[in-house]
Amino acid sequence: MNVQKIMVIGAGQMGSGIAQVCAQAGYRVLINDLKQEFVDRGLAVIKKNLSRQVEKERMTLEQMEEILSKLTPSTDLHDAKEVDLVIEAAVENMEIKTKIFSQLDEIAPPHAILASNTSSLPITEIAAATKRPEKVIGMHFMNPVPVMKLVEIIRGLATADEVYQTIEDITKAVKKVPVEVNDFPGFVSNRVLMPMINEAIFTLYEGVASKEAIDEVMKLGMNHPMGPLTLADFIGLDTCLYIMETLHEGFGDDKYRPCPLLRKYVKAGWLGRKTGRGFYIYE
Ligand code: CAA
């Protein structure tokens, strides 16, 4: 399938990164959010990232302008009427996502693929909110999107082979590596990552070591770029809790029980970098 125009829903950390890499690959991109100020903020982040590439002489000013010209701001979901692909990167909430997908199903042209960047919600359930479940798929980018190589592609129960193939081709076109997975809670990435982060929090909770020591062990001992507690702050502790709850509910196994300390931090509003405080304090 020939995809030329993409709408990215959500101009936050993930959405702006996805819009950036799609524009860099030459696609025309509508960057959509509820309010103009959210879209402007997302565009400003993209501009800052690209300016850095220009400063480092990896890109010319003309190339940057060309990429920016591919991006069109949008605050109206009805703009989806002229796109070939929607990549939804709104908040991780099933009610909100199903509402967006049922609206998109009415608005987007019949050939359009509806993809979700969800990090753990069932694609099959999101697809069931539409009359085109065969055209619904998971396209899970990693944070920070411009840097991380992986896109986990999740097949819902009804996802058509040609839809999977199109998304795999687009993933390669945006210079990422596709990995195919099936639709189970947490997919592969968060089913493996989040219990490790949760266990690191239990280790802190039980006083086995300090937060710095836990992070140092995993950074230097396992060659992870960030320790698990630093990574949890980077992802957002609310997101980590939400994913653990999805795993716990989905599998019903005690090994996925969120650590009480994680719950406590989230209740305190200490959500990590984005709020200036999580396991660490950020200026
Ligand atoms: N946006 C764009 N570029 C960024 C960036 C951002 N937010 N953060 C860092 N970079 C770029 C920097 O510009 C720099 O690029 P150059 O080398 O070209 O100058 C490069 O990344 C390295 O950055 P730094 O030197 O500042 O710092 P670093 O070497 O410590 O790397 C990092 C930063 C890439 C974030 C690295 O620490 C890392 O890989 N951390 C782990 C990230 C990770 O695990 N992500 C997955 C999270 S889980 C997820 O996303 C799924 C989910 O569903 C929860």
Side-chain angles (χ1 to χ4, degrees), residues 49 52 56 58 119 140 142-144 147-148 190 226 231:
N49 283 343
R52 215 181 130 86
K56 295 204 157 188
R58 293 184 188 137
S119 52
H140 184 206
M142 302 293 128
N143 186 17
V147 180
M148 305 296 284
N190 281 318
M226 285 173 165
L231 182 57

